[in-house]
Amino acid sequence: MSAFEKTLAGVDAARAQTWNWLAINETTLEVPGNPEPVALDLPSWARDVRLVAGAEAQGWLDELTSEPLLGASTADEAASILAYLGDVEGEALDVSAASLLCEEGAWGEATIIAAGSAPTTGNTCRLSLRKGASATVDILVARPEDAIHVQSFGATLAEDATLALRVWILGAATTTLAIACDLVGARARFTSELRYLGAAEETIDITYDVRQLGRNTEAEIGASGVLEGSAEKTLRASIDLVRGCKGSKGSESETVLVAGEGVRNKTLPVILCSEDDVQGDHGATIGSLSLEQTGFLASRGLSEADIVALAGQAVIDDAASALGDVALAEIVGWTRAARGPEASAQAADAGALIHGTFCDVPGEEV
Amino acid sequence: MSETTNLNHSNALLEVRDLSISVEDAEILHHVDLDVDAGQCLVLMGPNGAGKTTLGHAIMGDAAYTVDGGTIDFDGEDLTDLSADKRALAGIFLSYQAPVEIPGVPLYSFLRTICQKRPELKMSARQFRQRVRELAAELDMDPGYLTRELNVGFSGGEKKKVEMLQLLLLQPKLAILDETDSGLDVDALAIVSKGIETYRRECKGALIIITHNTRILERVEVDRVAVMVDGRIVEHGGPSLIADIDERGFEAFEAREPKEA
Amino acid sequence: MSEASAPRKRSEVADVDRSLYDFVKSEEGYERFDDGLSEEIVREISAKKDEPEWMLDLRLRSLEIYEKTPMPKNWGPSIEGLDMAHISTYVTSGADQATSWEDVPDDIKDTFERLGIPEAERTSLAGVGAQYDSELVYHNMREEVAELGVVYSGIEEALHEGWEDVIRAHFMKLVPPTDHKFAALHGAVWSGGSFVYVPAGVTVPYPLQSYFRLNAAGAGQFEHTLIIVEPGADLHFIEGCSAPKYNVANLHAGCVELFVGKGARLRYSTIENWSKNMYNLNTKRARVEEDGAIEWVSGSFGSHVSYLYPSSLLMGARSSCEFTGITFAGGGQDLDTGCKVHLAAPDTRASVATKSISKGGGVSTFRSSVVVTPKAERAKVSVSCQSLMLDDESRSDTIPAMDVRSASAQVGHEATIGRISDDTIAYLMSRGIGEDEARTMVVNGFAEPISKELPLEYAVEMNNLIKLEMEGAIG
């Protein structure tokens, strides 16, 4: 295998960089090399989607993608793409691409689940939303503790288009996630919720790169997570309020619970602004919970250890209740392997919540 | 109107003796004595800044409040040195005046976890969901809240309902309601009052209601009233004291000498 | 530029004199070293100062480092307009350092009179140092402060007056020449600056102030400020700087090293108003021991390009850092400012509050780093930065980095960017205030949390600078 080892440099690079001694601007990635590169064949709308995983990482992903998934939603028919990674019998490497075009006024969805046991998985998701289109994209990374997942995501939004991106990173030795989003048309709107759980020696490396070009666009990036053990996480989140995007709003918020003595949490939240009639903001809370929060939780009977366990479980429960039956089995399975039967039973319960209310679980008599 | 003699009986559920509390080196409570019997409802009144919230948090064992002297016994056990979580498991519940936001933790996960900490509340996932459903219905709560982050972005009324839901779910022996009525509109107040009634009826729990507003008391059967001014209990009395306070305000008490225990 | 302007009245915000900073004095008879940088020039500066051997070695080593250190390629404003071959690293009037303004040459004295330095010295300072181009021309301290054992002099004098060992133990130890390219340049050609020593337990009752004036065109100023505040002592140090505007590039690469002892406190205030042809590549760093406190107050108004990030190393338990800064970038300015905080001990605290204003095509970048090491148990950090965009041709970027490696630490960060709301202007106008005045009022209000950290007359000066910038027409 070592003959094919490859080091990718310049991965997930930040749009605006800072002191190099901080080692925060970008990362490098060790991946298996590719003995038989293929030429990726994509329609032009997909080729035009901007991606920010870095030239080397994107090149590596592209030349491993032999059968890209394509979906097109029209006003009459919604497309739904499900990319399932990691469960290829006997293969060490599973890389795919999913591209979704939503025509004017159409709705579509894409779900990317990296959950199987293949050592290395990768995926590129390209989205183009035409005028008034909307899409929901869910990404789940629930991989074994020795596996790698490389995720690249890019979207272009025309006027009045709306994209909701939700990401859960539950586990993997290394996860890299590069998200690019261009709000080109007026009133385009991008919301993203990222939840992650880092444990042991895991590394999570995330770059957001959002450009707001159209008038009255909105971008909202939320990231929260729990880091246990000696987990390391880097989040670079850039919002670029480009001249001309009058009336636009961009916001980033981050909450990190640092719950392990060996944890390293790096954050580079960038707001670039060359327009005056805008609102940009960023907020981050990193570290232990406040005395007020721990006091409140203690008053309900939770010890410090309980609180940390609850915070981790909360990420899993959130994924389970949001993704429900699509990925519930994977989440429950991952949780059992990583955190034991009680945690997985609670995840299964949480999964039941997807069905509208917390009480009416199909197949269960109330 | 003195009921100081009450303080000497020893079968009280909660016994606070000579308790002095400071916050960031400033003493807020001075030598407070307070008893609450099992199932009893005590109303603690007093002007803003009297130290009522401090007493509630001190009984709960909030680490931000330092015990300078005195003891807190509960259910025959000295709790003075126990942390808040242990006191909670022993059966004390404090409903916060301003419930704290816990980003990232869905209400569902939180409720499930606090139930699982209490062996007496062990139930299956199905029973748990059913219980929560009943309580939510009783409190007129949208079940959609269950997947939302605990208290994050909740309105004042919603936060208080979530506190009442926990009260009814956990069935503590003693509930301290710190200004649960403050900032609520009429409808929310009615729901909270109903929650308090349910707690009294079904859990037979004791209550300390902290308030400076007598409105919430109209629907609750009050056993005793204590008045706190400047970090001291200055008056003990029966329910009739409430009408007194309504009429005369707290000024009448402020001039008085603190009661000796 | 009006030569006839009366001495300014600091108390009247409306009374702004544009010629306040922008006037040139003749350089006739001055000694000026050749432009560019060479070993010969470095040796010449050293010889001129009759330095100990180790200082010359440090200069030569720094020169080597300078020559082989590249500028970062992936971040920061361009310094392409700066050509070291056209910068003279040493210019002096030849005047001896005076301890009375009477003995300062008239031209130079007039400069500092206009800048209000002697007046401030009389009314509110414990001591003043005034540097003109490369050398100090005036240095004096009140007798009662000297009697407390406080030392305030030029570095060169201190080297010759019994402080050599202390200086050798501290000089460029916090900011080594290897730190970055312009720290190395500073090490090679530094000249002038201040040495301050406050003995243990001494509280200096009034601030000390050093003022740096660069009068010569196409020259560099490389003053070094070394301050040692011993345990339990307390000092407020004020630094001011300005220069007239030229069409050629000027360079400022000063270096400030601050040592704050156990339980000591140092407040370091700067109002920087370099002219808009200045490359301000300045390095400031403080090391703080147990229970010590460093407080930075930093106003950046001038220069063409600035790289300025006062940095605080919190090495002792319970040590703290407060940084309050404002940056106003107008047309032709690219100001990259912010701060660095390194928390390396238990219960350390840092709070950073900055404001920036961009106008007329100016670029303002807030750049910061907060590093919380595993040793910094229970460390608390809060960073808040607000940026105001006054038009749509300017730029305002916020690039804060955080690296947290302590589980019990709490780090909070918030940043906002926006403009003055139309509602605010409409409201003020409805009360009879003209639009321009309303805008100035809002900008002054925006800057208020910073200006209230400054001594009164500096706050007034800052408000004047804001008014000047808001009027816009200034060259």
Side-chain angles (χ1 to χ4, degrees):
Chain A
M1 198 59 210
S2 63
F4 299 117
E5 282 293 318
K6 190 171 179 176
T7 302
L8 306 174
V11 179
D12 293 358
R15 156 181 289 273
Q17 307 220 326
T18 191
W19 295 292
N20 293 303
W21 59 265
L22 284 165
I24 199 173
N25 288 323
E26 57 185 39
T27 191
T28 56
L29 194 55
E30 301 283 332
V31 291
N34 175 20
E36 294 162 23
V38 295
L40 179 63
D41 184 24
L42 289 174
S44 68
W45 61 262
R47 284 199 304 271
D48 290 344
V49 172
R50 187 173 66 98
L51 298 167
V52 294
E56 292 188 14
Q58 196 58 53
W60 177 79
L61 285 168
D62 286 350
E63 65 181 30
L64 280 163
T65 305
S66 48
E67 289 169 25
L69 295 167
L70 274 178
S73 288
T74 61
D76 301 328
E77 198 176 353
S80 177
I81 297 182
L82 176 64
Y84 200 91
L85 291 141
D87 207 14
V88 187
E89 198 66 38
E91 296 278 341
L93 197 56
D94 188 6
V95 174
S96 70
S99 305
L100 176 66
L101 170 69
C102 293
E103 297 284 4
E104 197 169 320
W107 180 83
E109 66 176 347
T111 307
I112 293 149
I113 296 169
S117 60
T120 305
T121 52
N123 173 269
T124 307
C125 182
R126 296 169 173 89
L127 242 75
S128 179
L129 304 187
R130 301 266 158 87
K131 188 175 172 185
S134 63
T136 304
V137 178
D138 290 335
I139 299 173
L140 171 72
V141 181
R143 304 266 287 129
E145 60 188 9
D146 53 356
I148 293 175
H149 181 68
V150 182
Q151 180 70 49
S152 178
F153 175 92
T156 304
L157 276 65
E159 59 186 270
D160 295 307
T162 305
L163 170 63
L165 170 68
R166 300 188 297 180
V167 184
W168 294 268
I169 299 171
L170 301 185
T174 301
T175 305
T176 70
L177 171 63
I179 295 165
C181 185
D182 287 342
L183 303 176
V184 178
R187 296 172 303 281
R189 189 177 148 79
F190 172 61
T191 57
S192 171
E193 273 301 324
L194 166 73
R195 308 287 307 268
Y196 58 85
L197 174 56
E201 309 279 320
E202 294 179 344
T203 301
I204 299 171
D205 191 278
I206 305 151
T207 288
Y208 274 89
D209 188 325
V210 177
R211 290 196 304 177
Q212 299 188 242
L213 303 145
R215 284 179 173 243
N216 301 305
T217 60
E218 277 183 50
E220 214 179 303
I221 299 174
S224 72
V226 182
L227 297 174
E228 302 169 355
S230 297
E232 183 170 334
K233 184 226 82 185
T234 303
L235 172 67
R236 308 167 197 91
S238 305
I239 284 183
D240 191 354
L241 294 155
V242 179
R243 189 160 300 152
C245 74
K246 289 195 181 297
S248 292
K249 289 180 189 169
S251 80
E252 308 168 17
S253 72
E254 187 186 20
T255 309
V256 189
L257 177 61
V258 178
E261 291 302 322
V263 163
R264 184 157 193 186
N265 179 80
K266 295 197 270 189
T267 304
L268 183 64
V270 172
I271 301 177
L272 307 174
C273 178
S274 49
E275 175 56 61
D276 63 334
D277 184 12
V278 293
Q279 283 175 38
D281 63 72
H282 166 263
T285 309
I286 300 160
S288 56
L289 290 173
S290 70
L291 201 62
E292 199 193 15
Q293 289 171 318
T294 51
F296 180 71
L297 293 169
S299 81
R300 304 300 140 99
L302 303 182
S303 66
E304 277 181 43
D306 294 332
I307 292 170
V308 171
L310 168 63
Q313 183 73 42
V315 179
I316 300 167
D317 289 357
D318 185 61
S321 67
L323 286 168
D325 49 6
V326 186
L328 189 56
E330 297 296 345
I331 294 167
V332 171
W334 179 88
T335 308
R336 185 185 300 274
R339 303 179 81 91
E342 263 187 49
S344 72
Q346 186 166 330
D349 294 347
L353 297 181
I354 187 67
H355 304 280
T357 69
F358 49 91
C359 46
D360 305 318
V361 180
E364 190 174 36
E365 284 174 46
V366 176
Chain B
M1 227 189 238
S2 165
E3 293 190 11
T4 32
T5 45
N6 282 357
L7 294 175
N8 294 324
H9 70 126
S10 57
N11 52 5
L13 175 68
L14 175 76
E15 274 187 30
V16 175
R17 285 293 175 275
D18 198 28
L19 187 68
S20 293
I21 297 289
S22 62
V23 180
E24 287 168 358
D25 295 332
E27 193 172 285
I28 310 286
L29 296 189
H30 320 288
H31 308 289
V32 169
D33 291 314
L34 190 75
D35 278 15
V36 179
D37 289 348
Q40 202 175 44
C41 175
L42 173 112
V43 173
L44 180 61
M45 302 192 75
N48 283 329
K52 306 187 297 294
T53 291
T54 299
L55 180 57
H57 280 256
I59 293 169
M60 190 69 248
D62 189 329
Y65 298 79
T66 309
V67 179
D68 292 337
T71 55
I72 301 166
D73 283 22
F74 181 74
D75 218 4
E77 201 189 338
D78 182 354
L79 295 184
T80 317
D81 296 326
L82 287 191
S83 59
D85 55 318
K86 299 216 169 62
R87 296 187 198 196
L89 297 183
I92 299 179
F93 179 87
L94 169 67
S95 168
Y96 273 49
Q97 185 177 352
V100 179
E101 300 190 357
I102 313 289
V105 174
L107 178 56
Y108 162 84
S109 306
F110 171 69
L111 293 177
R112 188 76 178 119
T113 302
I114 59 175
C115 265
Q116 281 170 336
K117 290 299 294 179
R118 291 162 168 86
E120 72 274 17
L121 296 179
K122 266 276 190 275
M123 52 184 127
S124 70
R126 203 174 113 192
Q127 289 168 326
F128 172 74
R129 284 198 297 272
Q130 173 148 1
R131 180 82 186 117
V132 172
R133 178 186 60 173
E134 288 165 9
L135 294 176
E138 182 160 351
L139 295 166
D140 193 25
M141 258 183 72
D142 178 353
Y145 280 99
L146 274 194
T147 53
R148 288 179 53 183
E149 296 168 86
L150 177 56
N151 290 331
V152 177
F154 290 18
S155 73
E158 287 157 359
K159 284 180 179 169
K160 295 294 169 68
K161 281 187 191 175
V162 171
E163 293 288 274
M164 296 316 290
L165 192 150
Q166 292 169 61
L167 167 69
L168 297 176
L169 187 63
L170 300 179
Q171 302 169 35
K173 291 176 191 151
L174 169 68
I176 305 164
L177 308 183
D178 186 7
E179 306 269 358
T180 296
D181 49 334
S182 71
L184 297 188
D185 62 25
V186 182
D187 294 344
L189 192 63
I191 288 164
V192 165
S193 299
K194 205 170 121 197
I196 294 172
E197 278 173 42
T198 307
Y199 167 70
R200 297 272 282 158
R201 190 175 62 242
E202 291 181 4
C203 313
K204 309 274 186 277
L207 261 180
I208 298 176
I209 298 178
I210 297 173
T211 184
H212 56 260
N213 179 348
T214 55
R215 183 121 184 230
I216 194 173
L217 304 175
E218 287 165 12
R219 300 187 56 165
V220 182
E221 199 179 312
V222 174
D223 297 307
R224 289 171 49 231
V225 177
V227 179
M228 181 172 253
V229 176
D230 291 339
R232 292 185 168 85
I233 303 276
V234 296
E235 186 72 55
H236 287 278
S240 59
L241 202 48
I242 297 169
D244 269 21
I245 291 166
D246 249 358
E247 208 170 296
R248 300 186 295 152
F250 291 114
E251 289 80 1
F253 300 94
E254 287 175 31
R256 281 188 208 177
E257 284 297 301
K259 280 231 161 172
E260 292 299 326
Chain C
M1 95 197 55
S2 98
E3 271 292 324
S5 66
R8 70 185 157 144
K9 296 182 183 66
R10 287 178 178 272
S11 53
E12 289 175 35
V13 181
D15 185 13
V16 176
D17 178 355
R18 287 164 196 277
S19 66
L20 207 51
Y21 307 96
D22 198 11
F23 54 90
V24 180
K25 298 287 185 181
S26 159
E27 263 180 68
E28 209 180 306
Y30 283 24
E31 181 178 5
R32 180 180 176 123
F33 282 19
D34 289 344
D35 288 0
L37 195 59
S38 66
E39 185 180 327
E40 195 194 337
I41 286 174
V42 170
R43 284 183 182 278
E44 225 177 313
I45 294 171
S46 182
K48 181 129 192 108
K49 294 177 183 294
D50 188 21
E51 283 172 355
E53 193 66 24
W54 63 266
M55 185 60 91
L56 175 62
D57 289 348
L58 188 144
R59 287 183 186 276
L60 294 172
R61 193 157 44 91
S62 299
L63 180 65
E64 256 177 62
I65 295 166
Y66 171 77
E67 278 163 356
K68 65 182 184 209
T69 306
M71 277 301 278
K73 292 196 167 34
N74 57 335
W75 66 271
S78 165
I79 56 161
E80 266 180 17
L82 177 67
D83 180 358
M84 280 308 293
H86 294 109
I87 297 282
S88 169
T89 54
Y90 187 85
V91 181
T92 177
S93 67
D96 287 336
Q97 197 184 118
T99 53
S100 156
W101 286 107
E102 295 306 311
D103 301 331
V104 175
D106 286 349
D107 250 16
I108 299 178
K109 188 171 82 178
D110 178 58
T111 297
F112 288 108
E113 291 274 2
R114 284 162 165 242
L115 296 167
I117 307 302
E119 184 194 341
E121 180 179 11
R122 280 191 300 276
T123 56
S124 55
L125 297 172
V128 160
Q131 178 160 341
Y132 197 76
D133 296 335
S134 298
E135 294 288 357
L136 284 156
V137 293
Y138 175 85
H139 224 291
N140 194 25
M141 184 169 57
R142 290 191 189 190
E143 213 149 278
E144 73 255 34
V145 180
E147 279 166 8
L148 295 170
V150 177
V151 177
Y152 179 35
S153 75
I155 303 249
E156 292 91 333
E157 291 69 52
L159 270 174
H160 292 114
E161 286 165 14
W163 292 93
E164 182 180 337
D165 290 347
V166 172
I167 290 174
R168 188 172 185 178
H170 294 88
F171 191 88
M172 294 208 81
K173 289 292 193 285
L174 261 188
V175 182
T178 46
D179 208 71
H180 58 86
K181 189 172 183 68
F182 285 86
L185 176 66
H186 175 90
V189 300
W190 75 270
S191 177
S194 297
F195 172 72
V196 182
Y197 178 85
V198 185
V202 169
T203 295
V204 182
Y206 310 99
L208 299 176
Q209 181 179 20
S210 286
Y211 200 98
F212 303 101
R213 175 77 178 175
L214 182 53
N215 180 65
Q221 194 168 51
F222 307 96
E223 87 288 350
H224 194 99
T225 303
L226 173 59
I227 299 179
I228 299 168
V229 186
E230 293 283 26
D234 191 311
L235 172 70
H236 183 185
F237 189 88
I238 300 169
E239 175 193 67
C241 25
S242 70
K245 183 165 164 56
Y246 294 103
N247 292 324
V248 295
N250 272 17
L251 169 64
H252 176 236
C255 178
V256 174
E257 296 183 289
L258 311 175
F259 294 85
V260 183
K262 285 185 186 176
R265 186 187 79 115
L266 172 59
R267 168 169 280 229
Y268 196 94
S269 304
T270 306
I271 288 289
E272 174 270 301
N273 187 35
W274 294 118
S275 54
K276 291 178 183 175
N277 57 314
M278 179 67 89
Y279 286 82
N280 183 34
L281 310 170
N282 210 9
T283 312
K284 300 181 179 184
R285 197 162 296 166
R287 180 191 161 103
V288 190
E289 310 300 337
E290 269 173 53
D291 297 301
I294 177 77
E295 300 168 10
W296 303 95
V297 180
S298 184
S300 294
F301 292 87
S303 84
H304 170 52
V305 165
S306 271
Y307 278 74
L308 180 63
Y309 327 97
S311 117
S312 306
L313 308 177
L314 303 182
M315 305 308 288
R318 297 172 303 280
S319 57
S320 67
C321 153
E322 231 177 74
F323 181 91
T324 312
I326 187 161
T327 296
F328 196 132
Q333 292 185 283
D334 191 343
L335 308 184
D336 202 296
T337 62
C339 66
K340 301 182 198 175
V341 188
H342 194 85
L343 298 95
D347 300 298
T348 42
R349 300 266 182 284
S351 100
V352 174
T354 67
K355 306 259 183 173
S356 75
I357 302 163
S358 306
K359 179 180 180 290
V363 178
S364 163
T365 301
F366 170 76
R367 187 183 303 279
S368 68
S369 72
V370 170
V371 176
V372 183
T373 71
K375 282 184 190 158
E377 290 164 18
R378 298 172 301 280
K380 281 205 169 73
V381 181
S382 76
V383 179
S384 140
C385 58
Q386 289 178 278
S387 307
L388 192 57
M389 290 280 288
L390 293 180
D391 55 48
D392 61 3
E393 51 186 16
S394 306
R395 188 167 181 93
S396 181
D397 294 345
T398 306
I399 309 175
M402 285 162 270
D403 183 350
V404 180
R405 280 173 277 162
S406 162
S408 54
Q410 290 178 356
V411 178
H413 180 276
E414 52 176 50
T416 59
I417 291 180
R419 65 167 180 177
I420 302 171
S421 80
D422 294 341
D423 288 352
T424 307
I425 298 299
Y427 177 80
L428 291 172
M429 289 173 75
S430 78
R431 301 301 139 99
I433 297 164
E435 185 173 345
D436 288 348
E437 199 185 336
R439 287 189 185 278
T440 304
M441 193 181 265
V442 172
V443 173
N444 269 323
F446 180 76
E448 162 70 18
I450 316 291
S451 59
K452 80 174 197 300
E453 293 299 320
L454 292 165
L456 181 65
E457 47 254 86
Y458 300 90
V460 171
E461 174 170 345
M462 195 178 93
N463 285 347
N464 278 341
L465 285 168
I466 288 172
K467 191 168 188 319
L468 255 171
E469 293 294 340
M470 291 299 289
E471 281 173 9
I474 187 166

